[in-house]
Structures are given as C-alpha cells and as structure tokens.
Amino acid sequence: MNNLIQNEMLKLLARKRLIVVGGILAILVVLFTYAQYQTVQTQLKKLGTTDWRTTLQQQIIDTQNRLANSRIPDDFKKELEVRVKQQQYYLDNDINPAEPGAPSFTKEFMENSIDLLLPLMIMVIASDLVSSEFSMGSIKLLLTRPVKRWKILLSKYITLLLAISLIIAMMGLVSYLISGVVFGYKGWTAPAFSGFRITEAGFDSSGASIIPQWQFILMDFGVVWFAAVVVGTLSFMVSVLIRSTAAGMGIILALLIAGAILSNMVSSWTSAKYFFMLNMRLTDYLNGSPPPIEGMTLSFSLLVLTVWWLLALVISFTVFTKKDIY
Amino acid sequence: MLILRKSLSIIITAISAVLLLVWLGGFVYAVQNNLNVKAGDIKDTSRNSKKSSVVNNEKDLKVVAIGDSLTRGMGDETGKGYIGYLTDEMKAKSDKPVIVQNLGISGQESDQLLAQVKTYSVTRQLKEADYILITIGGNDLFQGGQTLADFQPAAIKSIQKKYLRNLDAILSRVRSSNKEAVIFLVGLYNPFIELDNGKETSQVVREWNFNSAETAAKKPKTVFVPTFDLFELKVNDYLYSDHFHPNAKGYRLIAERVAALLTW
C-alpha cells in the first residue's frame, strides 16, 4: 500500500499541477493584498483616522441607516441586523474584528475562497487522477499488476487527501508570506470571538468566548479542509465515472458556479439546502454570518456534506471495481 | 535524478500526512467548539487589558455629528447634508485637517439618541471632538406629519415634555463625556408652514424651539442654532420632494448658519 501511494505521489509531482496551483495562488494573493491595501488607504482618507473603533462605529451607523430604508428585502434586512449586532458586540468588548496583519488576511482569504477558489484548485488535482489513466491508456498497465483494484483506487484517494492537505497549507503559507510584506506578520495572539450563533430570533452571542486568533485560524483551516475533502471526493467520483478529464472538470465547475449563484438567490427555495454547494461556507458558522437559507446550522451542513461525501466514495469504489476495462 | 525525485516525493508525502493530521485536528476542534457551546461562559483567555489611550491630536479639528436624518443628509441629492457642506466650508477656511464623524441615523427620536450617546464607543468619539453638532426632535414632534395633521394640543404637550426630558439627558451626557467642546443644537423648522393650518403648526414649532433653546441655555457652552426663519418664507424652494427634509439648498442654508458660529 505504501508503495502504491508513493507511486501515485510521484505521478502527481511529475505532472507539476501542484506548482501551477501554487503559482495561481501567489498571483491572486498579490492582487488581493494590493486591493486590501487600497481599501485601507481610501478609508484613511475618508475618515481621517485608522482607529478601527471609529471605522467600525461608522459601519454600524451606515448599516443602521440602511435598515431605516423601507425598500430593502426582508431577508437582507435580517442579515444586516445580525451584522449590526455582531459589530456592536465587538465594539462593546473592545475587540477588533479585523485586526490588521497577515494572520487576519490569511483568515479572510481562506473564508472567502472556501466555496469557489479552493474547490477549483482541488478540482484541478482531483479530476484527472483516474480519468488520465484512461486517456493515456496506462490504466491497463496499472491493473495488470497483482494488486486488488480497490487498493489501487484507495491509494489514489489517499494521495488526493494528501494533496488537498498540501494545497491548503500552501494557500495559507502563500497568503501569509505575501500579505505580511504589506500588513506585517504579527497578530497571531490577537483576541477573536468564537461561538456566535444565528438562531430564529437572530444573532445570539450568549455562547461566545474569546480565543486567540491562531486557534480561530486553526478551526477555519479545519473546516476549510473538510469542505475541500468533500469537493475533492466528488471530483474524484466524476473522474472515475467519466473518461474525459475535460468533461469531468466542466461538470464540477458548473456545479460549483451554480452553487455560488444559487446561494445568492435561494432564500425562498428551502429544499436547495440539501445541495452540497450551498453547504460549503462552513467558515460562516464559525464567525457568525447568516447562512444562505434560514435554519441551516453547522451540524446540518456537516451532515449534508458527509452524506454527499459517503455517496461519492461508495459510487467511486463500486464503479471502479466492477468496471470493464478495455 | 530518479532517486532524488523519489526521496523528494517521500518527503512531500510525509509533510502532507502531517498536515492532514493538523487540519483534521483543526476540524475536530472547530466542530467541538461550535456544537457544544454552553451559554454564558465568556472566557477571557487572551485579551490584553490595555485599553488604547484616546488620541487627541491637537493639530486637527474634529467634528462629531449626532442625530437624525438631517444629520445624515436625507433629501440632499448629493448626499452631503448640512454636515457635508459645513465640512467643505471648514476645509476651505482652515488649514488644519478637518475630521468629521457623522453618526446620524435616519428616523432617530430623542430616546434613541439618548441610548446612542450612552454607548461606550460613541462616548469615546465625543470625548475627542472639538465641535459636537446635534439635530434631534423632528421625528418626535412630526411623527412623519401625523402629529400636526391630527393637531391635538394635549398630545403635543406630552410629546414635548418627554422630548425635553430626553434632550436634557442627552446634553448632560454629551457634556459629561466632553467638557471642552462646543455643542450646537440645531433647531427645527416647520416643513408644513404652507399647508392649511400653517399658522397653528408654526406656533407649535416655535414653542418647541423656544423650550429646546431654554434647555440648551442651562448647559455650559451649548448653543441653540435656529433654523425656523430660514424656511419661513420660501419653504418649498428649500424642501426635498418629500416636503419634509431639506433639499441641497436648504441644507446649505443650515450649514452656512452653523459655519458662521464656528471659531477656532
């Protein structure tokens, strides 16, 4: 088994896709860092101060004024109310929700890439793990060895899990190193809130506790990893089912983008919450942002994702072990 | 070459395996932490107790504006409001940098403003201010035009009593957070002056303003700024199409009046 995994890893490294992913990430992080820097500068010009309390207070006031507007839709109103209460909570406790520094940037970057950017990167790796063997014809060589088929697939799957872990670490590292040049590398021990909940009644801070930022970031990475594993497994399944890598990528891409679009407009179509794409934003539960559909909770999303994950795994293994190879 | 590749791949595999365990640990931690939250146990494990000191930069002019939609600038198509025009004027006149915090919230009544000035963060900002501008009372009195349409003197009396009590508390509160700054309380105008019962409503507004001015006069360094006369003659030229909020011209009039009072 160990040898099989080594073999798969060698193949993966030889294809240089990890380097491509790293390059794409580095370019994007440079862009985002610059954008963030510009935002800070304009804010400085507008408010005349960099004091986060003043900025946050202004944000609260602005949102309160938006709430006073009678033309905004109800669900958006609810979201704004949650945001105001959360910001007020930060302000009352004298804790900066966006402590400047590379750790905060990294956190935000992970939170924003969990539902689209990261899955795309994962997909690049996962979608041709099996199908490329078909398209290159090497599958026959692989299967003529005296090893059970499920073992071969398992070694590929484990390699995928390893690659996902590596990509996430790469993402964190790249964004930390690059953004730190501008924002500084400090901020790991800054206080952060965890345990906000969104209930029927709105924002609930009764379970909140203060933890150091690095613990929060670790949690963020943990759920990001889980979401990435689910997407990776689904791409893996598609890769088993469809021989063409391009077609497989297209399918996953379409699903992911559909999810991104849906989450902006489905608040009234509640059964959409069983789609995996709408449950991807796990980090939102950690930082207390409202879910796309009312009533969704962390445990619900984890359950939905786990079901999709298991299904994809079962389908991949049964199909691959029974498939006629010619 | 192949051997190098192979050892590289082993190293990468090992690193990935460690990372996998770390992320898995993070995931388990996140799930534990967020699924079993017990109510009411704020644990403060990392917060540094040092409160940042208030920076009062002597070099700049700091204006904090609180109040209702007039402070916000509702009705002005440029979105500036009297605060915006006032800032422009101050910037033109002064060579110091001018910093303006607009904390106005549309639709705010006096009791809501009182709650707002009591919050810690607003107190903090008031403390740093050189000038504090307040518009309040319009929503208390007019209730979107309802009060004066019904016109029941007894009801207006009780509204006014409550308002004056709130105003007194607001001014005391603001004063206690900042002993030095000059407070400008901008008075009400009568947007309904050209309607049928304009005479009666004007009388109510005048009395309202008179009492506000009296309340302000009792506080040190607190100036009541009348606006009633500005809108008395050509009210429709200065009102926005909702016939309630000022338009750009109207806001400019208020701003000029306040600007004339500012000295530094």
Side-chain angles (χ1 to χ4, degrees), chain A residues 6 9-10 13 47-48 51 53-54 57-58 61-62 64-65 68 89 91 93-95 161-162 165-166 168-169 189 191 194-195 197 206-208 210-212 215 218-219 221-223 225-226 286 298-299 302, chain B residues 5-6 9-10 12-13 15-17 19-20 22-24 26-27 29-31 33-35 37-48 51-52 72 99 101-106 116 120-122 124-125:
Chain A
Q6 278 308 324
M9 205 63 179
L10 262 176
L13 292 175
L47 293 173
D51 184 11
R53 293 178 196 84
T54 309
Q57 179 71 56
Q58 202 61 57
I61 299 283
D62 288 346
Q64 278 171 332
N65 275 297
Y89 194 77
L91 205 51
N93 284 283
D94 204 29
I95 283 179
L161 293 185
L162 292 175
S165 309
L166 197 65
I168 288 174
T189 52
S194 110
R197 271 174 301 178
S206 62
I210 301 168
I211 57 172
Q215 283 184 17
L218 182 65
M219 293 202 286
F221 271 86
V223 293
W225 176 80
F226 182 75
L286 300 191
L298 177 63
S299 38
L302 288 180
Chain B
R5 266 269 183 79
K6 188 140 198 195
S9 125
I10 289 173
I12 288 181
T13 312
I15 293 173
S16 306
L19 287 170
L20 189 143
V22 172
W23 303 147
L24 187 65
F27 175 63
Y29 178 49
V31 171
N33 214 316
N34 284 275
L35 289 187
V37 268
K38 278 175 240 103
D41 60 340
I42 273 250
K43 271 178 285 166
D44 201 332
T45 52
S46 76
R47 181 156 152 207
N48 26 18
K51 284 251 159 90
S52 70
R72 195 46 24 197
I99 297 170
Q101 303 294 331
N102 189 340
L103 304 180
I105 297 174
S106 293
Q116 198 192 4
Y120 168 69
S121 53
V122 173
R124 238 188 87 262
Q125 300 205 352

Side-chain angles (χ1 to χ4, degrees), chain A residues 43-114:
Chain A
Q43 208 164 49
L44 186 63
K45 238 184 247 160
K46 251 191 202 158
L47 293 173
T49 171
T50 41
D51 184 11
W52 64 267
R53 293 178 196 84
T54 309
T55 316
L56 192 60
Q57 179 71 56
Q58 202 61 57
Q59 278 171 6
I60 293 174
I61 299 283
D62 288 346
T63 319
Q64 278 171 332
N65 275 297
R66 279 174 86 184
L67 280 170
N69 187 340
S70 55
R71 272 172 308 174
I72 60 171
D74 276 350
D75 47 333
F76 187 51
K77 201 169 205 157
K78 228 171 198 169
E79 195 180 318
L80 288 179
E81 273 166 6
V82 166
R83 207 187 302 162
V84 166
K85 280 190 190 140
Q86 193 179 32
Q87 287 173 335
Q88 192 64 52
Y89 194 77
Y90 273 103
L91 205 51
D92 292 345
N93 284 283
D94 204 29
I95 283 179
N96 188 352
E99 185 80 29
S104 296
F105 180 90
T106 308
K107 188 181 96 182
E108 203 145 309
F109 184 56
M110 294 310 280
E111 284 173 2
N112 284 314
S113 53
I114 187 173

Side-chain angles (χ1 to χ4, degrees), chain B residues 65-214:
Chain B
I66 52 177
D68 49 24
S69 47
L70 294 191
T71 302
R72 195 46 24 197
M74 205 156 154
D76 183 351
E77 49 271 30
T78 61
K80 284 183 165 177
Y82 88 97
I83 299 293
Y85 296 118
L86 183 64
T87 314
D88 291 348
E89 203 142 325
M90 286 174 78
K91 277 183 179 155
K93 270 206 240 169
S94 163
D95 43 355
K96 294 180 191 171
V98 179
I99 297 170
V100 179
Q101 303 294 331
N102 189 340
L103 304 180
I105 297 174
S106 293
Q108 192 149 256
E109 294 184 16
S110 57
D111 47 347
Q112 292 161 309
L113 180 63
L114 180 58
Q116 198 192 4
V117 295
K118 277 183 180 167
T119 59
Y120 168 69
S121 53
V122 173
T123 308
R124 238 188 87 262
Q125 300 205 352
L126 288 172
K127 194 184 283 177
E128 299 171 31
D130 297 307
Y131 295 101
I132 296 165
L133 305 167
I134 307 175
T135 63
I136 195 65
N139 296 309
D140 294 61
L141 174 59
F142 299 123
Q143 306 278 339
Q146 205 49 49
T147 319
L148 295 183
D150 298 350
F151 204 71
Q152 290 169 324
I156 295 174
K157 269 260 143 48
S158 82
I159 293 174
Q160 184 172 309
K161 219 172 130 194
K162 196 175 130 233
Y163 159 75
L164 288 172
R165 212 172 37 235
N166 285 334
L167 179 66
D168 188 75
I170 292 166
L171 293 176
S172 307
R173 182 78 205 183
V174 171
R175 184 45 80 208
S176 71
S177 26
N178 189 329
K179 300 259 183 306
E180 294 301 314
V182 186
I183 302 172
F184 293 102
L185 175 66
V186 177
L188 298 189
Y189 56 90
N190 182 9
F192 307 114
I193 198 163
E194 291 202 338
L195 299 184
D196 288 344
N197 56 355
K199 274 210 155 51
E200 287 87 351
T201 53
S202 284
Q203 199 197 336
V204 170
V205 177
R206 271 202 307 275
E207 199 191 321
W208 183 281
N209 280 334
F210 175 75
N211 287 318
S212 304
E214 284 297 305

Side-chain angles (χ1 to χ4, degrees), chain A residues 188-224:
Chain A
W188 287 107
T189 52
F193 274 116
S194 110
F196 287 143
R197 271 174 301 178
I198 309 296
T199 58
E200 305 285 310
F203 177 69
D204 176 15
S205 65
S206 62
S209 57
I210 301 168
I211 57 172
Q213 174 119 301
W214 67 266
Q215 283 184 17
F216 193 90
I217 292 178
L218 182 65
M219 293 202 286
D220 258 355
F221 271 86
V223 293
V224 165

